[in-house]
Amino acid sequence: MELGINTDYEAEYVKIEEIEESIRRIAAAGFSHMHWCYEWDGDYIYSRSEMEQIRGWMDKYGLKAKSLHSSKGSRGVGNGRMDVHYRKDYTSTIEYNRVAGGELIKNRVELAHILGTTEIVLHMYLPYLDYEEKPETKEIFYGQAYKSLDELQPFCLEKKVRICIENLYEAPGEMQLEQFDRLFARYPAEFLGLCLDTGHANLVWGNEFITKFADRFKDRLYSVHIHDNFGWGEGKGHGDAHMLPGECGIDWKALMAVLNQSAYEKPWVMEVVKPSGEDTTDYLKRAYEAGKKVLA
């Protein structure tokens, strides 16, 4: 079975030898694809030589890239407010920083092109805390986001790389439904789609996300982050736990029925985190088997 997993399943390594070893282990466990997730947050810029180095590791170990995670900007972006500014943020009201945020995303589009994948995953944090206090915030925010996406669209179409906006868990569910309704009404499917993060959706709606969110946007669903949790609470498997599919509370049978009717093209991609203390090789084998069992 072809199956993908995130490269930071254990850690986001800095040493080159450790990065390569983490990729080798993915292939050795049976995975056919990886989701490049390093530098998903922050304003790191990849050089062309680094991009080619990553592609070289993929070729060496026989891996393909299903997707990669773009950064939404400098670390800190996404606090629910618009009045805090960062160096790179594609939704910023400061033009210099908005443009810099767009350039950061273009860097990830170029990386996707080199790695041979046609999708990047991008966070769009809504300033939901401002919406009630300052209603005008909503249109200002979307105006900035639209401006950046308008500028990115021709570059993405040229590179044949789609941006997939990921559903998050900070903003209320109704605001997220409005978010994706707006985006998909404005932009074509060849440029903009949805990355369904199953764990985030479960935190917002519980298993109702399957009909309320996943089914609603299934025609624009081109990327997935598959993981499990028990919803909010205390203890193992609660919160944004990134557990293996089938370990917690998501109704996978009902969800797979929707996903199999969506626009998504396999392989499936898990975004999971190895429990502290578990042997890495054992965990990856267990992850692969969980994927085969639940996602078949």
Side-chain angles (χ1 to χ4, degrees):
M1 177 181 179
E2 288 196 324
L3 193 63
I5 194 171
N6 52 306
T7 53
D8 59 345
Y9 57 87
E10 182 174 38
E12 192 169 327
Y13 294 113
V14 176
K15 294 179 181 178
I16 295 303
E17 294 82 3
E18 291 176 332
I19 297 173
E20 180 179 358
E21 175 61 13
S22 70
I23 292 173
R24 186 199 67 78
R25 285 174 169 170
I26 289 174
F31 291 95
S32 57
H33 290 70
M34 69 179 195
H35 171 60
W36 183 259
C37 220
Y38 280 31
E39 309 297 342
W40 69 270
D41 188 22
D43 42 34
Y44 187 88
I45 297 289
Y46 285 91
S47 69
R48 176 69 182 227
S49 61
E50 288 178 288
M51 297 178 186
E52 293 173 349
Q53 182 179 43
I54 298 166
R55 181 56 190 261
W57 289 329
M58 291 168 53
D59 293 343
K60 181 178 179 179
Y61 298 111
L63 279 176
K64 297 177 182 178
K66 176 64 174 79
S67 54
L68 70 84
H69 207 313
S70 177
S71 174
K72 88 295 186 187
S74 303
R75 297 187 192 279
V77 171
N79 62 359
R81 301 285 187 183
M82 288 193 70
D83 58 356
V84 181
H85 303 286
Y86 299 87
R87 292 183 301 175
K88 291 182 176 65
D89 174 6
Y90 73 100
T91 65
S92 177
T93 54
I94 298 177
E95 189 67 2
Y96 295 107
N97 308 108
R98 184 195 66 77
V99 171
E103 291 172 349
L104 179 66
I105 297 170
K106 283 186 176 180
N107 180 256
R108 300 306 196 264
V109 171
E110 184 66 28
L111 175 59
H113 180 68
I114 296 298
L115 299 190
T117 181
T118 58
E119 67 196 55
I120 66 167
V121 175
L122 180 65
H123 288 184
M124 179 183 285
Y125 289 96
L126 303 178
Y128 64 96
L129 296 174
D130 286 335
Y131 281 5
E132 287 190 9
E133 300 169 21
K134 297 178 285 186
E136 70 276 11
T137 298
K138 181 182 291 187
E139 296 309 321
I140 294 172
F141 170 80
Y142 279 112
Q144 297 306 100
Y146 293 158
K147 193 182 299 185
S148 292
L149 291 172
D150 289 350
E151 293 169 1
L152 286 163
Q153 183 171 346
F155 183 75
C156 290
L157 292 177
E158 176 190 348
K159 296 292 183 180
K160 294 182 172 57
V161 173
R162 179 187 286 114
I163 293 177
C164 294
I165 304 295
E166 179 180 348
N167 60 292
L168 305 173
Y169 59 79
E170 291 85 356
E174 290 305 312
M175 289 185 188
Q176 295 192 48
L177 295 178
E178 178 191 13
Q179 172 191 16
F180 288 100
D181 280 338
R182 279 176 171 253
L183 292 172
F184 297 154
R186 182 181 176 95
Y187 296 104
E190 60 265 29
F191 166 59
L192 200 73
L194 166 67
C195 173
L196 173 64
D197 187 297
T198 61
H200 293 171
N202 194 51
L203 291 174
V204 175
W205 290 286
N207 274 311
E208 288 186 8
F209 86 84
I210 297 169
T211 55
K212 186 173 288 188
F213 186 75
D215 187 63
R216 177 171 176 157
F217 297 117
K218 64 184 178 184
D219 291 341
R220 297 296 286 263
L221 201 165
Y222 295 103
S223 186
V224 291
H225 283 171
I226 290 174
H227 54 105
D228 210 343
N229 62 56
F230 286 118
W232 294 113
E234 300 295 328
K236 182 178 179 181
H238 289 88
D240 193 23
H242 288 264
M243 302 288 283
L244 297 178
E247 289 188 328
C248 300
I250 292 178
D251 184 346
W252 291 99
K253 183 177 180 179
L255 177 57
M256 294 308 297
V258 172
L259 293 184
N260 282 320
Q261 296 175 2
S262 73
Y264 188 84
E265 295 182 0
K266 297 177 183 178
W268 305 115
V269 174
M270 296 189 291
E271 190 189 47
V272 292
V273 176
K274 181 184 79 67
S276 177
E278 183 171 356
D279 178 78
T280 303
T281 299
D282 291 344
Y283 174 73
L284 287 173
K285 288 180 180 178
R286 190 162 65 84
Y288 182 74
E289 291 303 318
K292 283 204 306 181
K293 179 180 179 180
V294 176
L295 308 176

